[in-house]
Amino acid sequence: MDTALDFKTYYLEIPELLVSHYPDLNFQNHCYLRIALDNVIGTKWDTQIAKPAYKHLTIDQRKLVISYLSSYVKDKNLLLSHNMISLAYRGKLA
């Protein structure tokens, strides 16, 4: 994953895989990106970096986003935990 093209490919493909992998969650592809990005940035990501995120992340942030997205495929508990953190950043928890 040394090039921006490789990163963009993974960045776009893994969320699509997650949509089909977890049909019970009823998340759209952008939900998985939000979850990973918020957890990488440590807050509501779009208040810290410009859109589209994949063009404005550092190399280390890009690697961590891909790592999180890839981990979600194997670890639903991590995904759900990161989702709760993301929702808290966004003030969406009751």
Side-chain angles (χ1 to χ4, degrees):
M1 185 177 45
D2 293 331
T3 69
L5 179 61
D6 288 341
F7 171 74
K8 184 179 176 185
T9 300
Y10 284 108
Y11 183 89
L12 297 175
E13 288 179 0
I14 296 173
E16 288 300 325
L17 172 67
L18 287 162
V19 168
S20 61
H21 192 67
Y22 295 117
D24 58 310
L25 295 180
N26 199 29
F27 289 170
Q28 296 178 16
N29 61 357
H30 64 86
C31 297
Y32 295 103
L33 289 169
R34 169 195 45 87
I35 293 165
L37 287 165
D38 282 359
N39 279 275
V40 166
I41 302 301
T43 190
K44 187 177 171 189
W45 74 267
D46 53 344
T47 64
Q48 302 299 312
I49 59 174
K51 296 178 182 179
Y54 74 88
K55 289 185 176 182
H56 302 284
L57 296 169
T58 67
I59 291 171
D60 288 339
Q61 289 169 329
R62 288 177 177 191
K63 289 178 182 178
L64 192 52
V65 167
I66 294 303
S67 175
Y68 283 165
L69 290 170
S70 298
S71 294
Y72 299 159
V73 175
K74 300 173 195 143
D75 191 344
K76 187 175 183 179
N77 288 330
L78 177 65
L79 168 62
L80 296 176
S81 174
H82 278 190
N83 185 47
M84 294 303 286
I85 293 166
S86 174
L87 293 174
Y89 288 150
R90 293 169 176 276
K92 303 280 183 171
L93 296 178

